[in-house]
Amino acid sequence: MDLASLNAFIAIAESGGFSIAAERLHLTQPAVSKRIAALEQQLGVRLFDRLGREIGLTEAGRALLPRAYRILNELDDTRRALSNLSGEVSGRLSLATSHHIGLHRLPPLLRTFTRAHPQVNLDIRFLDSEVAYDEVLHGRAELAVITLAPETAMPVRAVQVWDDPLAFVTAPEHPLACNGQVRLSDVAGYPAVFPGGNTFTHHIVRRLFEREGLNANIAMSTNYMETIKMMVSIGIAWSVLPRTMLDEQVVALPLPGARLSRSLGYIVHTERSLSNAAQAFMALLDQARDPLHGTSPTG
């Protein structure tokens, strides 16, 4: 089975179109179509239903997709295992991270790593933490540094590196900031801007409101913490931000009993070989652990 054809098949299945898959693979659309035609002929089945501009997997395509992932992941795993025998820290490291961690936590570690291991080709992708989790799970990223889920299931292993306390915040002139001590029920009465409902941070805050029998008035949504901070700073909404982002643009609300925190760290796939480069970067992350909160792996 031709590996280039399998790569084309996966690209189309993930992107939903031949032209997008061609851009992703840096190929022409006819070249991608030719690879799929060859794969379908080799297997003796049709892999995609083509209805106008809509592309969908056939039953055979749906059956092939997890197997195609396994084949390519096994090949990548074999390459890493053989490359590791040299003991050199080199080659490609596919690293996924959230925008917030990539901007606020990783720069000094990346600087140290690239100076110590100049032969490593870093492939860094900035993704939502939930998307990065799937990238590791399906073998498209070797390592991800993200907001950790409350629970992580095998074969993914999570290691906490930083504790990230959160604060309820508003603009200095917001009514909530001018009322002295406020309660969670007071906050619920005003519009909020939150990360999307599928994010780990959203779930953490929502559970706090649910325990009090309240619903947050979420008027707007974006997954970029810097954008949330900007919207809070102009006074149109309150939100929850990491305390590391607080400055004169926003103020923390004194909410008694409303202590929130999230765990930041890295995840890896336990059933795949890790490159020497990934192990070296993990060692740096382990050295950066918070002394009280980053001592034990989960998952």
Side-chain angles (χ1 to χ4, degrees):
M1 190 176 295
D2 183 70
L3 296 176
S5 297
L6 279 181
N7 272 313
F9 167 73
I10 288 174
I12 296 167
E14 291 179 346
S15 65
F18 280 70
S19 59
I20 300 175
E23 291 178 8
R24 174 172 154 181
L25 296 170
H26 306 291
L27 297 170
T28 64
Q29 186 171 333
V32 171
S33 298
K34 185 175 180 180
R35 290 185 180 184
I36 296 303
L39 185 60
E40 289 179 329
Q41 183 177 12
Q42 185 180 20
L43 297 175
V45 293
R46 191 176 72 255
L47 298 172
F48 294 100
D49 284 323
R50 303 164 179 83
L51 302 173
R53 294 185 177 181
E54 297 292 325
I55 302 293
L57 287 168
T58 63
E59 183 178 357
R62 289 191 295 273
L64 175 61
L65 186 58
R67 292 169 171 81
Y69 280 128
R70 284 200 295 271
I71 291 170
L72 294 180
N73 287 335
E74 186 66 28
L75 179 61
D76 286 340
D77 191 74
T78 301
R79 286 172 175 161
R80 283 194 292 267
L82 294 177
S83 178
N84 285 351
L85 295 176
S86 68
E88 293 183 357
V89 181
S90 60
R92 175 175 171 269
L93 172 57
S94 176
L95 173 67
T97 187
S98 69
H99 293 83
H100 175 73
I101 295 174
L103 288 173
H104 296 278
R105 300 281 187 169
L106 282 189
L109 294 178
L110 290 171
R111 186 183 300 112
T112 299
F113 182 81
T114 54
R115 288 176 178 174
H117 307 293
Q119 293 180 307
V120 174
N121 178 23
L122 271 175
D123 175 15
I124 305 176
R125 281 171 287 165
F126 291 87
L127 305 167
D128 291 344
S129 293
E130 300 71 26
V131 177
Y133 182 98
D134 284 338
E135 291 294 290
V136 169
L137 183 62
H138 292 108
R140 295 186 291 270
E142 194 175 359
L143 178 68
V145 188
I146 60 172
T147 300
L148 300 178
E151 295 181 0
T152 303
M154 296 296 283
V156 174
R157 181 172 71 99
V159 178
Q160 181 175 337
V161 177
W162 304 282
D163 182 61
D164 198 32
L166 304 172
F168 285 82
V169 294
T170 65
E173 67 277 7
H174 192 283
L176 287 169
C178 303
N179 289 340
Q181 194 171 79
V182 295
R183 297 172 299 177
L184 200 61
S185 57
D186 299 322
V187 175
Y190 289 88
V193 55
F194 261 32
N198 64 323
T199 62
F200 300 142
T201 304
H202 183 109
H203 292 318
I204 291 170
V205 181
R206 187 177 65 187
R207 283 199 298 269
L208 175 65
F209 277 84
E210 288 175 347
R211 286 198 298 267
E212 299 294 326
L214 298 169
N215 288 313
N217 179 12
I218 302 172
M220 294 158 284
S221 180
T222 175
N223 289 354
Y224 297 101
M225 289 294 180
E226 285 71 21
T227 304
I228 289 176
K229 181 180 178 181
M230 179 275 295
M231 297 176 80
V232 169
S233 71
I234 61 177
I236 62 176
W238 63 267
S239 191
V240 172
L241 288 175
R243 288 192 174 272
T244 54
M245 294 182 68
L246 302 190
D247 56 23
E248 70 281 354
Q249 298 180 63
V250 296
V251 295
L253 296 177
L255 275 167
R259 293 184 178 273
L260 289 177
S261 183
R262 59 183 188 170
S263 298
L264 310 180
Y266 65 86
I267 59 170
V268 293
H269 198 297
T270 60
E271 296 175 1
R272 300 199 175 103
S273 297
L274 292 171
S275 65
N276 290 339
Q279 294 179 55
F281 197 80
M282 288 164 58
L284 272 182
L285 288 165
D286 290 339
Q287 292 172 19
R289 285 184 188 176
D290 287 337
L292 296 179
H293 301 287
T295 56
S296 60
T298 61

